[in-house]
Amino acid sequence: MPIRVNLDVILAQRKMSVTELSQKVEITIANLSNLKTEKAKAIRFSTLERLCQVLDCQPGDLLEYVDD
């Protein structure tokens, strides 16, 4: 998949668990896991916005285009 999700990197930098992020963003752990493992097919802008607010980052920090 040419879009890489760097959620695990950002979480490690912030020393935050998936469980803690799930509670703060109000997204299920299963949905965050799907994002983290790049199994998600789409992400809502509202979800991306909440992730950026809680993680204090930009969308480009979470998502990266990788040319195959």
Side-chain angles (χ1 to χ4, degrees):
M1 179 179 229
I3 302 294
R4 180 176 296 148
V5 180
N6 295 317
L7 185 57
D8 54 343
V9 174
I10 301 290
L11 285 173
Q13 291 172 344
R14 304 298 189 273
K15 297 179 180 162
M16 186 181 294
S17 69
V18 174
T19 303
E20 184 181 354
L21 181 62
S22 171
Q23 292 169 348
K24 289 183 176 186
V25 180
E26 298 179 352
I27 297 173
T28 65
I29 294 173
N31 284 338
L32 284 176
S33 179
N34 283 338
L35 277 174
K36 193 173 163 187
T37 59
E38 299 179 2
K39 293 180 182 175
K41 301 290 183 197
I43 183 169
R44 291 184 175 151
F45 281 130
S46 60
T47 300
L48 186 57
E49 180 183 357
R50 288 192 313 252
L51 286 169
C52 288
Q53 286 172 343
V54 169
L55 295 171
D56 189 30
C57 66
Q58 295 294 314
D61 298 331
L62 290 170
L63 304 174
E64 175 183 9
Y65 174 76
V66 181
D67 192 13
D68 285 341

